[in-house]
Amino acid sequence: QVCHGLRTPQLPVWLCSLSGRHGVLFGTDSRLLSDWKTERVFHLYFYNGQREQTKTAHLTIDTHSHPWEEEPCEDPSSPGKRRPPVEMAIRTKWAGATVSWNGTDPFF
């Protein structure tokens, strides 16, 4: 039998398979699981255990950003407009969210 803690995690955590690699996307604020108001601006962390990742990536998610606040538009198919799979995975839950990598170079 599965214990209660495994069925209902106390902190938000997602196991991800991105571009054939596995990783963990997690938060340290338990309110993200129960209080929709905390979904305005919040922090998530991503770790994949790959050699090229030397530390856990600290991401800031803003779910109420506006399209006009983004960088100047490019052709969506151009390499400069493509987003890392981690960001695309985040947007499956929070559509339209902007993701700040807080000084870490985006990877994947």
Side-chain angles (χ1 to χ4, degrees):
Q1 185 171 6
V2 177
C3 76
H4 177 72
L6 290 176
R7 288 181 284 159
T8 309
Q10 294 180 357
L11 295 172
V13 61
W14 296 271
L15 300 176
C16 306
S17 177
L18 306 166
S19 303
R21 295 181 179 180
H22 295 90
V24 178
L25 185 64
F26 62 95
T28 58
D29 186 354
S30 62
R31 294 176 303 159
L32 194 55
L33 294 170
S34 60
D35 184 2
W36 61 270
K37 293 176 206 160
T38 60
E39 292 186 10
R40 166 69 169 88
V41 176
F42 57 95
H43 303 279
L44 293 178
Y45 301 87
F46 182 75
Y47 184 74
N48 67 2
Q50 298 295 319
R51 192 175 324 170
E52 62 270 11
Q53 185 179 3
T54 58
K55 64 179 184 173
T56 302
H58 172 206
L59 310 172
T60 301
I61 316 303
D62 183 351
T63 60
H64 286 78
S65 61
H66 299 88
W68 56 84
E69 294 174 346
E70 290 185 12
E71 296 175 12
C73 292
E74 295 178 20
D75 177 12
S77 62
S78 72
K81 192 64 175 173
R82 294 186 185 142
R83 304 288 185 200
V86 174
E87 290 184 27
M88 300 309 293
I90 290 169
R91 288 189 182 114
T92 63
K93 177 150 177 65
W94 296 284
T98 58
V99 179
S100 169
W101 287 74
N102 299 308
T104 302
D105 289 330
F107 52 88
F108 263 81

